[in-house]
Amino acid sequence: MRKAQYTMQDIANQLGISKSTVSRALKNHPDISQETKDAVNKLAEEMDYQPNSLALSLRHKKSFVIGIIVPEIVHDFFANVISGVQSVAYEEGYNVMICISNESPEQEEVDVKAMYSSRVDGLLISLCKETKKLKHLESIVNKGVPLVMFDRVSDNLNVSKVITDDFQGAFVATDHLVKQGCEKIVHLSGPDNLSISSLRLNGYKEALAKNNIPLDENLIIPCPEGTLSEAKDTVKNIIGKNLDFDGIFANNDVTAIGAMNALKELGKKVPEDISIVGFGDWRLSQLLDPPLSSIEQSGFDIGVQSAKILFKQIKSEENDIEFTPVTKVVQNNLIERKSSLK
């Protein structure tokens, strides 16, 4: 039989203080003395006290939970985003519910419905590579759930967005390759339904134009899955067709690594024969041989900015203040390593 849980009132009774003082002490409120905080926290630990989330939810008509849906967790970018979100949520007294869509639009829809059923107070999402229909997101927005998209966003939904400066990052990466002497640069492009892909493609094109290098559409090669095997097969295929190129700018680091593996297997030297730059600065990129040059994305900062915007919207709507969606652009940097330096 389940034992009754201790309450804030039990702690207050034992310490001879008010319930509101206990509540503020547990939240580390600055008006409560450190001595009282220590006493409250010590007794709460001894009692194994846990807040009654259902009671809080009923009292405040809030769940004190926000949701985040990411397409995968293997890449440390999304892990860093989650850490950034949690750091802000913790300060706001919120918990974070995490779902992983595993790059499946169907799973993404299920996850969104699960978040709504769990009554999250707001939702953060980065889209799957193959997500094209947004009905599931339009539905929860229409139901009044604050939504912020990050990294992989869609321009077809009028909600707040937090993105890396994909255009500038791609421009810098391509311009760097040109400065290393590359004149025929392949762009391994991402899925065409995501704005990050088009922005990175446009940044690539702009860098070529700035350096007076004619655009060759044959050098723009789709790699929509963004996997090691896809990139490896793609690069082997274009080399087999005798496509002439001396540099590669890949839409992401995984694609860049797959390309590098293919080049090595075919006896090509990196960067002597072909220079490579990726995007995302995956943690393993610096451990490769040679280490991979890449555009650094601050996943933690993106998570922090996304959560701050979400909580601003939540608070605005609680106070019947109209909230206008915003787009926050987080800057990035080129990390130069041996894969591109000649």
Side-chain angles (χ1 to χ4, degrees):
M1 184 176 180
R2 176 181 286 188
K3 295 181 180 179
Q5 293 184 347
Y6 286 106
T7 66
M8 255 192 268
Q9 190 63 59
D10 294 324
I11 297 174
N13 291 342
Q14 286 208 33
L15 295 176
I17 57 178
S18 69
K19 182 179 174 182
S20 63
T21 299
V22 172
S23 175
R24 287 183 291 167
L26 289 170
K27 294 177 181 177
N28 197 29
H29 197 284
D31 290 345
I32 305 300
S33 70
Q34 190 60 49
E35 182 181 1
T36 300
K37 290 177 185 176
D38 291 343
V40 168
N41 283 296
K42 183 174 183 294
L43 186 55
E45 186 175 354
E46 291 173 357
M47 288 180 165
D48 195 21
Y49 165 77
Q50 294 290 328
N52 188 327
S53 58
L54 178 59
L56 286 171
S57 177
L58 292 172
R59 187 181 308 124
H60 298 281
K61 296 181 180 180
K62 296 165 60 178
S63 66
F64 293 95
V65 175
I66 60 170
I68 179 169
I69 301 174
V70 295
E72 48 96 353
I73 204 71
V74 175
H75 199 303
D76 53 279
F77 169 74
F78 289 111
N80 289 335
V81 171
I82 292 170
S83 293
V85 170
Q86 286 184 317
S87 70
V88 176
Y90 177 80
E91 294 295 326
E92 295 286 345
Y94 269 71
N95 292 315
V96 180
M97 180 182 293
I98 303 167
C99 283
I100 305 169
S101 59
N102 288 317
E103 298 289 11
S104 164
E106 294 77 20
Q107 184 62 49
E108 183 180 281
E109 290 187 30
V110 170
D111 291 341
V112 169
K113 290 177 181 178
M115 291 289 187
Y116 180 74
S117 297
S118 299
R119 297 296 185 263
V120 294
D121 292 335
L123 178 62
L124 301 156
I125 187 169
S126 184
L127 297 175
C128 297
K129 292 173 183 174
E130 296 181 7
T131 295
K132 295 180 180 178
K133 297 180 180 178
L134 301 174
K135 188 175 180 180
H136 55 304
L137 296 177
E138 292 170 351
S139 175
I140 66 164
V141 169
N142 291 336
K143 290 173 182 174
V145 179
L147 175 68
V148 175
M149 306 178 83
F150 66 91
D151 189 47
R152 300 184 191 171
V153 305
S154 172
D155 294 330
N156 297 322
L157 200 59
N158 185 31
V159 298
S160 293
K161 303 173 180 74
V162 178
I163 56 175
T164 299
D165 194 340
D166 293 288
F167 177 91
Q168 181 64 18
F171 178 93
V172 169
T174 308
D175 188 61
H176 167 71
L177 287 170
V178 173
K179 285 180 169 60
Q180 297 305 306
C182 298
E183 297 180 348
K184 298 179 179 180
I185 302 168
V186 164
H187 175 45
L188 300 177
S189 62
D192 57 13
N193 60 302
L194 296 179
S195 62
I196 61 172
S197 301
S198 58
L199 287 168
R200 292 175 190 179
L201 174 59
N202 290 336
Y204 159 82
K205 290 180 177 179
E206 183 65 22
L208 295 180
K210 178 225 171 188
N211 288 284
N212 298 314
I213 297 176
L215 176 65
D216 184 350
E217 294 287 349
N218 292 319
L219 295 179
I220 300 173
I221 314 293
C223 267
E225 295 176 13
T227 62
L228 288 170
S229 58
E230 178 195 47
K232 193 173 179 179
D233 292 343
T234 299
V235 171
K236 284 185 175 181
N237 182 52
I238 62 177
I239 289 179
K241 292 180 178 179
N242 295 317
L243 184 68
D244 185 23
F245 63 98
D246 53 13
I248 295 177
F249 165 52
N251 187 63
N252 60 52
D253 277 6
V254 175
T255 298
I257 294 168
M260 188 184 296
N261 290 342
L263 293 172
K264 284 184 175 182
E265 288 186 14
L266 294 173
K268 302 290 184 180
K269 294 181 180 180
V270 177
E272 291 84 355
D273 297 327
I274 297 172
S275 296
I276 302 179
V277 178
F279 203 115
D281 196 31
W282 195 18
R283 189 177 304 172
L284 295 178
S285 298
Q286 57 188 302
L287 303 178
L288 300 172
D289 181 23
L292 178 67
S293 295
S294 185
I295 298 296
E296 178 187 36
Q297 289 178 285
S298 176
F300 186 86
D301 193 23
I302 288 174
V304 167
Q305 297 300 329
S306 299
K308 284 183 176 180
I309 292 172
L310 184 64
F311 282 115
K312 184 176 181 180
Q313 182 175 355
I314 290 171
K315 291 173 183 178
S316 294
E317 295 185 0
E318 286 176 354
N319 294 295
D320 293 323
I321 300 172
E322 185 176 354
F323 180 83
T324 302
V326 298
T327 295
K328 174 75 174 178
V329 180
V330 178
Q331 296 303 311
N332 47 48
N333 302 291
L334 171 65
I335 306 299
E336 296 183 10
R337 300 191 179 101
K338 290 183 179 180
S339 71
S340 64
L341 298 173
K342 291 186 178 179

